[in-house]
Amino acid sequence: MRRDVRIATCVAAGAFMRPAQAIAIGWLVLWVASFAVGARLGDPASSVGADRIAGLRILDSDGELLREPLGAQGDRSRWVVLDEISPSMKDAVLAAEDRRFASHPGVDPLSVARAAAQNLAAGHVVAGGSTVTQQLVKLTTGKIHRRTFGVKLEEMAAALHFERHLGKDEILEAYLNWVPFGHLTRGVQMASWTYFRKPSAHLTLSEASALAALVRGPGAMDPYAHPDRLDARRRWVLGRMREIGSITDEAYGHALHTPTVFLEAAPVFEAPHLAEEILRRTQADGLAAGEVVTTIDSRMQRRTESLVRSVLHGLGELDVSNAAVVIIHNPTAEVRAWVGSGGYFDTETLGMNDGVMALRSPGSTLKPILYAQALERGYMTSTMLADVPVAFYTPDGPYRPRNYDGQFRGPVLMRQALGSSLNVPAVAVAADLGPQTVLGALHRAGFESLDREPSYYGAAIALGDGEVSLLELAAAYSALARGGMWQEPVLVKRVLDASGADVPLSDARQRRVFDEGTAYLVTSMLADPAARAPTFGQAHVFDLGFALAVKTGTSHDYRDNWTVGYTPEYTVAVWVGNFDGKPMGNVSGITGAGPLFGRVMRAVTPVGTVVRFVAPPGIVTHRVCALSGDLPGPACDVTYEEVFVKGHEPRSECTVHRLVEVDSRTGLLAGESCPADMVTTARFESYPDVLLQWAKEANRPLLPGPGPLCGPMQGDAPSHGSPSILDPSDGALFVLNPDVPPDEQAISVLLDPGGGKGPVTLLVDGQPAGAATHPPWKVNWTMAQGEHVLAASVQGKKGLSVTVTVD
């Protein structure tokens, strides 16, 4: 034993006791104390386990790191087993911190004696002589910063307790995972990734010695602030390793002259808003450590973030400061990209707000759900709707919706009304269906944020009178792309706990919202460039070279602008606006969210991809009148091909166009006594009452009255036939949707007054079920299972009945 060690031992043992006796008594005291301390500390395995320090890692779908938030100890840590740590790292740490680790029982007598001499000379604790085991005790029991004789003795006793219950490899593994390395980094694995971007198994001798040097003082040896201090300590570690034989002279020389390059220690911070949402959900589920493998495609995420920044730069002149985008893979409902703002750290634009989850006014983006519900209530894609000035009376007074461009187009078919996003027809349809029915459809489509009573929204819900999130919109449109099957957006593919074991995931919610045929009809309308043309023109940002179903929306005060659309593969939803609520500068779907949507959709659709929407079974095509939407009559001069669900096609001939004989002298209806050479055939139009004023102002060729020169023609006399049921037909079969409440399932029964005057009453099994007071003489009937007899009645006169069956 060297002289200085003998002196230190004597001093530590006391002046009146032989060294051997002092050592023996000291060990006895420590040994007894270790049992008392151990009884209080319990099983060391529970104190040093991975769950105590492991944090949460959020990964993309390929395992690439997105975010690694601070763990329970306020830093970042990744547990690694001893066999996966570079031997150079283990040797370097032991050479620097505890060269006799393999032989001592947790406390090194020689180090203790040396430290005791220094402490007694100073009168307080200035040196610890701590072994790796003792340092592990300090790290795991929270007494790192307490330096008193009592605490030191307790620490030594605890170290003996640890060594009785843990093997040397277990202690070394725990130590290498617990020890801090600076810059909020704990454990060798995290340090290796932070400073060198590699796992600890691949550390070189030079890198390992540098990390071992950091252990002594991460702040004092900071590689960025004090590189010279760190390098001096690194050289000392290499010298100690050569001294004890851990490395050869050759390895020492090579490592000594190999520079150690520390990379920037900035933490990975990808998909920040998505990561925040994952953290919120994992905290709610009680998961504090482990790995969450998300559905995010990092390449798609980064590309989308870049497009958001690029487009926002050009929208500054329109007072647009922010945007959000979410991309859903339709076949799996997986979210592939989630961009909550133009810049997470942009405090000027409040970029930490998440535009994907924020509740905003959706404008016209709810219309596809409205029209889908209408299709399932008896409307058709060719149903004629009135786009004219009209007032809807509400508890707050009359509500007069207007179109975006301030124009009214008169009679329009549903296809054009949806494609051109006309407001008046949408509100009229919502009023006809009723707010409760519309809200029920929206709830089934996933809009849980619309949580007020139906009366709160009223018919104005068709124009976005409520607040929804971008994620809800994307999920609803994805349901249309999926054939009417809504599925909860999937953010997580796999979850592992701190031990690496799989955590069971709950199944994503899903339900059928609309029939497959209904979803296809809505898609057909949204993907029709001709239907968009009256409002958006022939050439615009949605002409991407492939089939695309798309819809825009703008809140009435220009605070929110949206574009949502889909191909069979992807749904892309875009919002632009300002998080501080400031209105934008007259931004429309074409100038606001549209350009960003187009660039994102083009980015996720490879060049040359053939995109088409395939019609499901049961879709049929019929030629209809382009004005009335009914089957073409002899007077219809413009027709087109329209799609329908089989069994729900138009059955009546066009009544808007009329070919009649007129007196060429007056242009009025010809009478029976009119000379043949004075009679000619002409085409006229006849409109329901709601469109008559528009027709007159538009100078439409309305059906004339009788001429004064001769009596009316027999064929032009008013009809006095019996009232009848035009639709449904006799023998029709209807099937109730089990996923929809029975009181929300109705069909529109089309009646014919047969020339009678006054209301037309619908009789169901002989009992009145509603009445129509004006064309198109339609009554909504809530279906009930069984066989039913339907008939029409005018002023007590009952017509022929039809029989329908509801399963």
Side-chain angles (χ1 to χ4, degrees), residues 146-403:
R146 297 176 60 188
R147 297 175 65 87
T148 67
F149 287 111
V151 168
K152 192 66 182 176
L153 291 173
E154 184 179 357
E155 170 197 304
M156 295 166 66
L160 295 177
H161 170 65
F162 272 42
E163 292 264 356
R164 281 201 304 270
H165 291 82
L166 300 175
K168 288 290 186 180
D169 284 350
E170 292 177 287
I171 291 173
L172 182 58
E173 178 180 303
Y175 176 76
L176 291 173
N177 280 286
W178 271 86
V179 67
F181 286 89
H183 290 278
L184 299 178
T185 298
R186 181 179 295 274
V188 63
Q189 184 79 334
M190 191 71 241
S192 185
W193 278 109
T194 299
Y195 295 126
F196 304 122
R197 307 295 192 271
K198 64 171 67 175
S200 57
H202 298 161
L203 288 170
T204 65
L205 176 57
S206 178
E207 294 166 342
S209 61
L211 290 184
L214 270 176
V215 172
R216 179 54 58 92
M221 305 291 174
D222 188 314
Y224 311 112
H226 308 294
D228 293 340
R229 293 182 192 171
L230 178 61
D231 188 60
R233 177 71 178 175
R234 180 185 74 90
R235 291 170 178 271
W236 179 87
V237 171
L238 288 171
R240 176 62 68 91
M241 294 178 73
R242 182 180 63 170
E243 177 186 334
I244 65 177
S246 296
I247 57 175
T248 63
D249 291 343
E250 181 181 2
Y252 168 80
H254 182 268
L256 192 66
H257 297 95
T258 300
T260 304
V261 180
F262 282 79
L263 303 178
E264 184 182 0
V268 178
F269 206 83
E270 301 289 337
H273 295 92
L274 177 278
E276 291 291 335
E277 179 64 17
I278 293 294
L279 285 174
R280 185 186 67 79
R281 297 188 182 192
T282 53
Q283 289 170 358
D285 294 338
L287 182 68
E291 288 187 350
V292 177
V293 181
T294 70
T295 59
I296 292 296
D297 181 327
S298 283
R299 292 182 60 185
M300 192 176 293
Q301 174 76 21
R302 295 184 188 114
R303 176 60 173 158
T304 304
E305 290 173 348
S306 175
L307 290 173
V308 168
R309 290 191 296 268
S310 175
V311 173
L312 277 178
H313 180 73
L315 290 176
E317 298 178 354
L318 297 175
D319 294 327
V320 177
S321 65
N322 245 308
V325 180
V326 63
I327 303 174
I328 293 180
H329 182 244
N330 295 325
T332 61
E334 293 180 351
V335 175
R336 295 294 172 81
W338 178 306
V339 181
S341 71
Y344 185 84
F345 294 107
D346 189 341
T347 56
E348 184 176 347
T349 63
L350 307 178
M352 287 189 181
N353 286 293
D354 188 355
V356 174
M357 295 298 291
L359 299 181
R360 317 284 295 201
S361 173
S364 296
T365 55
L366 300 184
K367 288 177 182 175
I369 308 303
L370 165 69
Y371 283 115
Q373 181 63 32
L375 288 170
E376 298 207 336
R377 290 299 181 92
Y379 282 75
M380 295 175 290
T381 50
S382 66
T383 295
M384 186 174 71
L385 304 172
D387 182 25
V388 295
V390 64
F392 297 89
Y393 292 94
T394 71
D396 298 326
Y399 170 52
R400 296 180 174 86
R402 297 177 62 85
N403 292 320

Side-chain angles (χ1 to χ4, degrees), residues 11 26 42 57 91 113 155 229 280 323 421 448 461 482 508 584 610 621 671 738 753 764 767 778 784 800:
V11 173
R57 301 180 65 222
D91 290 343
E155 170 197 304
R229 293 182 192 171
R280 185 186 67 79
S421 195
E448 297 176 356
I461 196 171
R482 211 177 290 114
M584 297 172 286
V610 177
T621 302
V764 178
Q767 300 298 316
K778 183 177 64 175
L800 295 175

Side-chain angles (χ1 to χ4, degrees), residues 433-449:
L433 294 177
Q436 183 172 356
T437 297
V438 177
L439 190 59
L442 291 168
H443 284 166
R444 293 194 302 276
F447 292 99
E448 297 176 356
S449 57

